[in-house]
Amino acid sequence: MEKVGFIGMGNMAEAIAGGFVCSGVIPAQNIYAFDVAQEKLKKTAQTYGFHGCATITEMVSQVDTILVAVKPYLVEQVVSPLKELLKGKVLLSVAAGWDFVRYQSILDDSTRHLFIMPNTPALVGEGVLLLEETNSLTEEEFQQAKNWFGAVGTVKVLPSSLMDIGGTVSSCAPAFLSLVVEAMADGGVMYGLPRQTAYELASQAMAGTGKMILQRALHPGQLKDMVCSPKGSTILGVASLEKNGLRNAMISAIDTVMKR
């Protein structure tokens, strides 16, 4: 069984490593990790049963595949000194903005690499993991990566030209939709619902709606029409949302992010 090493063990890396272990796709004893926060690393390693390493070179030398999970601005200063050690190995990266072309400039040609863009619901096993179609992995390695990351969510392969917009939609959605949940809960509280109950109702309704759209292959408009009866309360609420620009606000938010 292949050994996998993590450079960085923050929240996202912990979610991914934990998903690997809990799903059984990679045994804990085959996972190694290095992080500058050694005390936190030790606790996380004990929780999941993987190996915490004292140095980055110690970790890289023991594994076949390396997963880079550090802040994007740290990638070059962390990875470049490892160029020789990474020769012939596989590098997977979840650092935003570090796509295939960018990694090509700092890695040896023998290092096969793939850019992955996760989102925060991976922390609860419900993430969206975007894999860049342009990569230098073998077909077997690419299929293995898809299998591994499927342990923490839904895997989608996108061409390089769509990774930015795909990541904007999937990565911004948790924040945007959290605003919707909070606003709906505020409306419930205004009419007497306890705050926590309002959050739970709105959150579960959102989760259930997403599952219906995915599992039944429904167009969102179909689901909206299923709920809106003639002269009913829901269509009145929908009309109010349209009047107040909900749809335009969401599209404009995506447009603003893409123009950053």
Side-chain angles (χ1 to χ4, degrees), residues 2-6 9 16-18 20-21 26-33 49-52 63:
E2 193 161 346
K3 294 181 179 179
V4 178
F6 284 73
M9 190 45 65
I16 294 170
F20 290 170
V21 172
I26 304 177
Q29 64 267 27
N30 284 3
I31 296 177
Y32 295 74
F50 61 73
H51 307 277
V63 302

Side-chain angles (χ1 to χ4, degrees), residues 177 184 201-224 227:
L177 297 178
M184 290 183 68
L201 294 178
S203 298
Q204 184 56 51
M206 181 169 288
T209 299
K211 285 187 176 180
M212 284 187 70
I213 290 172
L214 291 171
Q215 293 180 7
R216 297 193 180 185
L218 292 172
H219 185 285
Q222 287 179 281
L223 183 50
K224 181 260 296 177
V227 184

Side-chain angles (χ1 to χ4, degrees), residues 85-102:
L85 276 177
L86 292 172
K87 284 183 175 180
K89 296 180 185 284
V90 171
L91 183 144
L92 308 175
S93 176
V94 296
W98 278 86
D99 60 7
F100 178 79
V101 172
R102 200 168 178 189

Side-chain angles (χ1 to χ4, degrees), residues 180 183-184 224 228 233-250:
V180 174
M184 290 183 68
K224 181 260 296 177
C228 292
S233 56
T234 304
I235 191 61
L236 292 175
V238 167
S240 178
L241 290 172
E242 293 285 11
K243 180 181 178 181
N244 287 286
L246 174 66
R247 195 183 302 255
N248 181 65
M250 286 293 185

Side-chain angles (χ1 to χ4, degrees), residues 3-260:
K3 294 181 179 179
V4 178
F6 284 73
I7 299 177
M9 190 45 65
N11 289 336
M12 185 59 70
E14 181 179 347
I16 294 170
F20 290 170
V21 172
C22 294
S23 67
V25 294
I26 304 177
Q29 64 267 27
N30 284 3
I31 296 177
Y32 295 74
F34 168 78
D35 194 286
V36 292
Q38 284 284 298
E39 287 304 312
K40 182 177 183 295
L41 174 63
K42 287 178 183 177
K43 292 178 182 178
T44 305
Q46 288 173 356
T47 298
Y48 295 102
F50 61 73
H51 307 277
C53 299
T55 68
I56 194 168
T57 53
E58 173 197 346
M59 184 275 290
V60 173
S61 65
Q62 296 188 73
V63 302
D64 312 290
T65 298
I66 294 87
L67 195 151
V68 178
V70 298
K71 298 292 186 184
Y73 73 91
L74 292 173
V75 170
E76 187 165 5
Q77 69 184 69
V78 170
V79 174
S80 291
L82 302 172
K83 187 173 182 177
E84 289 299 311
L85 276 177
L86 292 172
K87 284 183 175 180
K89 296 180 185 284
V90 171
L91 183 144
L92 308 175
S93 176
V94 296
W98 278 86
D99 60 7
F100 178 79
V101 172
R102 200 168 178 189
Y103 266 113
Q104 280 288 87
S105 67
I106 65 169
L107 294 174
D108 183 79
D109 289 342
S110 69
T111 304
R112 302 177 301 285
H113 53 97
L114 168 67
F115 170 44
I116 299 127
M117 189 175 290
N119 69 353
T120 51
L123 295 169
V124 293
E126 293 289 347
V128 174
L129 294 301
L130 304 180
L131 275 57
E132 186 178 16
E133 188 175 54
T134 301
N135 63 83
S136 52
L137 272 59
T138 65
E139 182 59 32
E140 182 180 358
E141 289 166 345
F142 188 65
Q143 291 303 317
Q144 187 175 57
K146 289 172 68 176
N147 182 48
W148 287 348
F149 285 95
V152 291
T154 298
V155 172
K156 291 290 182 184
V157 179
L158 289 182
S160 301
S161 61
L162 295 180
M163 286 292 285
D164 195 17
I165 180 58
T168 296
V169 171
S170 61
S171 297
C172 292
F176 295 174
L177 297 178
S178 291
L179 289 175
V180 174
V181 167
E182 188 176 31
M184 290 183 68
D186 284 345
V189 170
M190 184 169 65
Y191 278 88
L193 274 177
R195 172 67 63 181
Q196 189 57 37
T197 300
Y199 283 152
E200 290 171 2
L201 294 178
S203 298
Q204 184 56 51
M206 181 169 288
T209 299
K211 285 187 176 180
M212 284 187 70
I213 290 172
L214 291 171
Q215 293 180 7
R216 297 193 180 185
L218 292 172
H219 185 285
Q222 287 179 281
L223 183 50
K224 181 260 296 177
D225 289 349
M226 288 168 60
V227 184
C228 292
S229 55
K231 291 190 175 181
S233 56
T234 304
I235 191 61
L236 292 175
V238 167
S240 178
L241 290 172
E242 293 285 11
K243 180 181 178 181
N244 287 286
L246 174 66
R247 195 183 302 255
N248 181 65
M250 286 293 185
I251 295 171
S252 295
I254 296 293
D255 187 46
T256 298
V257 174
M258 288 299 291
K259 289 177 177 176
R260 65 191 184 283

